[in-house]
Amino acid sequence: MASRRKRSGKLTSSAHGSSQGVPFTIDDATPNDLIYNPVIDGQVMVHGLVKRDHAAYPADMFRAPPADMPLIPESEWDARFEEAEREESSLEHLFNRVAQLHGLSVPYLHQNGHGYCWAYSTGNAVMLDRAARNQPYVRLNPHAVAAVIKGGRNEGGWCGLSAKFFREVGCPAEQFWKVHSRDLKQDTPEMRKNAGLHKTTEDWVDLKAPIYSANLTRAQLATLLLSNIPCMTDWDEWGHSVVAGRWFRVEKGVWSLRIMNSWLGWGDTGWGTINRRWTVDSALGIRATGIAPI
Amino acid sequence: MKRFLPGLILLCLTGQALAGIKVKADRTYQPYRKIVLRAEDVTGARASFLWDVVGDCDTVEAGDTLYIWAAPGKYRVTLTAIDFESKKVERARFAFTVEGKPPEPPIPPGPNPPDPPRPPTPGPVEKLSVLIVEESADRARLPASQQSILFGRTVRTWLNENCQDWPEGKIRDWGIFDRDSDLSGYSKTLQEMMNRKRNGLPWIVIHGDGKVVHEGLLPESVSKTMELLKKYKRAAREKGR
């Protein structure tokens, strides 16, 4: 993508779509007020990330140790990226096709004004995985997950907290929990039954175990994303948790994460490239979600 | 062998070795059933390896590595090493045992595993369904060309245009699932396709006219997959509905 002009910090609904052929990017030149709490179409965007406490949430809380993960060598990254561009096979490509198929202008889940990004990163990861497997498009409601975990309070968290809930309970569809509601009266057996249809059933891969180096984390993220396995990523410097869907070549030799945000009206139909000197502070890879047709 | 979990699985390799080749067994992060055998060529002279396993298990062969999903039991393995330069072929036979009870059986073959399909009669079919079975933990090992089959525009668009509707028109009857996925909420056709015996992964099953018309390893490229699928395109009368 070296020849492409960078489109940075245009945070309006008109920034939708990649028709301009310039991927939306946050980089070191993007002004902070366009990054941290931007106002998009009159609404202030919020985050909700609380840094992971490794003492409370140790690396082995998820079953799959990442050390065994086969890694795609860096020498293959260019060829795989170019193949994905040519065949339109990335998660971004295929999720946009799903949106087109269903006539959706906002196919991703957005958190509105609550600090529940840490639940939406997981919810959007599940949405991407379902799309990749050709499961029916169902709008999940991560507000239910966050509200139940936090007892209805508008509080922050980290992606692993919601991932644990997704594995143990699941997440209901929007028909079973009002959109952006924190009302716990909706925590009914019917809601739980529906949530169970969208459990994650496979192991999660914890990419940020302290015993592994940052380089390994980078190689693991690259491997998972080049394999179309979405990863929830927590960014302490951003105070935000989002799902990463692509290992993206910004220019020759420069790789970044292409993420799907949970902010309405942001980026290229929710997608943007994080080409800023930030580090991913916690990341989880999701391999396969609950197999439910509805 | 590393990261051994006592009481869950036990691998014991015994048998004859090939000169200059070490065979190692490993268990990966699918802890209960997945075993990896890897042949390491110390001399660097041999160009290729072929594996053959006797026993009730699923295998995927990838050059010097063999992936096995096995129930407890004894298995016999034949490893053939081929040196293309000297034309020399060597074989070693050895056995391994998996002990311990896995939490669930491997691929359910059923009491009477279905016969392999009759020689297919390629041609337009009605009610087309397509299932691709994979192991997402190993997706990184797939070449980019096979990932393009799974996720690229060409094959997926064709499947959306040609597979039958299910359920209630929400999707077309095709999907990509992990090998041990529970498809009980899906169509009986997809469940039957999932329950069939497989000889490797990724595996593609094509169902039409009420029966399986093709099953086998996923082709190596988008063009070869399209060549295969187009033999079974939707029949004209169904297309018109």
Side-chain angles (χ1 to χ4, degrees):
Chain A
M1 309 306 284
S3 62
R4 285 186 172 180
R5 187 170 52 84
K6 194 171 57 190
R7 187 158 61 94
S8 174
K10 292 182 182 175
L11 299 175
T12 68
S13 57
S14 63
H16 268 196
S18 297
S19 57
Q20 299 169 52
V22 183
F24 182 91
T25 302
I26 287 181
D27 59 19
D28 290 333
T30 308
N32 284 348
D33 58 355
L34 291 180
I35 293 175
Y36 291 101
N37 291 98
V39 179
I40 305 177
D41 294 337
Q43 188 177 14
V44 180
M45 297 295 118
V46 294
H47 318 102
L49 176 69
V50 172
K51 192 170 180 159
R52 175 179 183 174
D53 177 356
H54 280 278
Y57 305 111
D60 56 6
M61 67 180 287
F62 296 100
R63 286 171 295 180
D68 288 331
M69 181 192 297
L71 296 176
I72 294 175
E74 191 161 349
S75 58
E76 290 183 21
W77 290 358
D78 279 316
R80 286 181 181 258
F81 176 79
E82 285 157 15
E83 169 96 5
E85 286 287 289
R86 193 167 50 247
E87 298 292 336
E88 299 178 44
S89 61
S90 74
L91 287 174
E92 182 179 10
H93 285 113
L94 71 86
F95 201 59
N96 284 340
R97 284 201 296 275
V98 168
Q100 199 174 18
L101 191 68
H102 294 280
L104 302 165
S105 58
V106 185
Y108 60 97
L109 310 174
H110 50 93
Q111 67 190 85
N112 202 10
H114 294 140
Y116 285 169
C117 63
W118 51 279
Y120 277 79
S121 56
T122 304
N124 275 322
V126 173
M127 296 290 289
L128 288 176
D129 192 64
R130 288 178 61 91
R133 295 175 182 282
N134 193 42
Q135 290 183 266
Y137 181 83
V138 175
R139 285 189 74 83
L140 302 179
N141 195 344
H143 248 72
V145 172
V148 170
I149 291 173
K150 294 294 181 180
R153 295 180 298 276
N154 180 16
E155 283 182 1
W158 70 287
C159 66
L161 208 54
S162 60
K164 188 167 177 284
F165 194 90
F166 266 77
R167 195 174 71 190
E168 293 168 358
V169 179
C171 178
E174 286 184 348
Q175 298 94 310
F176 290 83
W177 189 283
K178 281 180 204 161
V179 177
H180 301 141
S181 166
R182 291 185 282 126
D183 183 358
L184 294 179
K185 286 181 190 155
Q186 299 167 93
D187 188 0
T188 62
E190 290 74 26
M191 185 284 279
R192 295 257 172 174
K193 189 177 174 190
N194 182 264
L197 295 174
H198 312 114
K199 271 186 187 176
T200 55
T201 55
E202 286 282 326
D203 289 346
W204 297 74
V205 184
D206 192 333
L207 302 182
K208 193 57 182 180
I211 57 172
Y212 302 110
S213 71
N215 284 340
L216 182 58
T217 301
R218 179 172 181 264
Q220 288 169 338
L221 271 171
T223 293
L224 290 176
L225 295 174
L226 287 168
S227 307
N228 275 356
I229 293 173
C231 302
M232 297 89 77
T233 52
D234 290 348
W235 305 74
D236 288 355
E237 287 150 303
W238 198 4
H240 201 24
S241 180
V242 289
V243 61
R246 294 188 75 183
W247 189 243
F248 194 78
R249 191 174 70 191
V250 180
E251 57 187 71
K252 191 75 179 169
V254 179
W255 295 88
S256 290
L257 291 172
R258 184 107 173 124
I259 58 107
M260 192 166 80
N261 204 342
S262 50
W263 290 347
L264 184 62
W266 188 87
D268 303 320
T269 322
W271 290 83
T273 306
I274 308 295
N275 187 28
R276 207 171 155 89
R277 277 170 287 187
W278 285 342
T279 51
V280 175
D281 294 283
S282 200
L284 296 172
I286 171 175
R287 283 208 286 104
T289 65
I291 304 302
I294 52 175
Chain B
M1 191 168 55
K2 57 183 179 179
R3 283 176 282 282
F4 174 74
L5 288 184
L8 283 178
I9 211 164
L10 179 65
L11 286 173
C12 303
L13 274 179
T14 57
Q16 135 196 21
L18 286 171
I21 294 181
K22 289 180 184 172
V23 177
K24 290 184 176 175
D26 196 1
R27 177 190 54 74
T28 68
Y29 51 83
Q30 287 274 45
Y32 305 121
R33 281 159 295 163
K34 189 171 167 188
I35 300 135
V36 181
L37 295 181
R38 190 167 282 117
E40 283 185 7
D41 188 351
V42 179
T43 67
R46 290 171 183 83
S48 186
F49 294 102
L50 296 171
W51 298 87
D52 186 38
V53 184
V54 178
D56 185 15
C57 58
D58 267 5
T59 61
V60 174
E61 194 174 334
D64 62 354
T65 306
L66 182 72
Y67 302 93
I68 305 166
W69 289 266
K74 291 183 179 174
Y75 298 85
R76 280 179 293 146
V77 182
T78 304
L79 173 63
T80 306
I82 305 165
D83 181 346
F84 287 116
E85 276 188 16
S86 66
K87 314 283 185 203
K88 195 176 172 188
V89 177
E90 287 183 287
R91 283 193 184 84
R93 291 181 179 82
F94 53 89
F96 69 90
T97 305
V98 179
E99 292 182 352
K101 190 180 176 192
E104 54 184 277
I107 293 175
N112 297 305
D115 293 333
R118 303 281 179 265
T121 50
V125 294
E126 286 187 59
K127 296 182 177 174
L128 184 70
S129 302
V130 175
L131 176 72
I132 297 175
V133 186
E134 62 152 353
E135 172 53 64
S136 57
D138 282 339
R139 207 184 277 164
R141 296 187 203 275
L142 295 183
S145 59
Q146 280 194 315
Q147 291 211 30
S148 294
I149 299 169
L150 301 181
F151 306 113
R153 175 186 283 275
T154 308
V155 172
R156 294 172 77 100
T157 300
W158 191 92
L159 292 170
N160 279 334
E161 287 171 355
N162 287 279
C163 287
Q164 63 174 321
D165 286 332
W166 195 94
E168 299 160 5
K170 276 185 179 174
I171 53 166
R172 294 303 181 104
D173 204 21
W174 66 271
I176 302 166
F177 296 107
D178 266 54
R179 58 183 297 282
D180 46 6
S181 296
D182 173 13
L183 298 193
S184 54
Y186 278 83
S187 68
K188 284 212 165 101
T189 305
L190 278 186
Q191 290 176 46
E192 286 167 15
M193 293 158 81
M194 175 62 94
N195 288 341
R196 290 177 74 87
K197 193 168 174 59
R198 295 181 284 273
N199 293 329
L201 294 172
W203 190 253
I204 184 168
V205 187
I206 303 174
H207 189 282
D209 292 335
K211 62 181 184 292
V212 169
V213 292
H214 174 86
E215 57 190 335
L217 286 170
L218 189 69
E220 63 192 32
S221 66
V222 168
S223 60
K224 287 190 176 168
T225 306
M226 291 306 298
E227 206 175 291
L228 170 67
L229 288 172
K230 281 177 178 173
K231 292 178 189 169
Y232 305 104
K233 67 180 179 182
R234 201 155 37 136
R237 58 182 165 163
E238 193 197 2
K239 217 173 203 168
R241 75 193 158 91

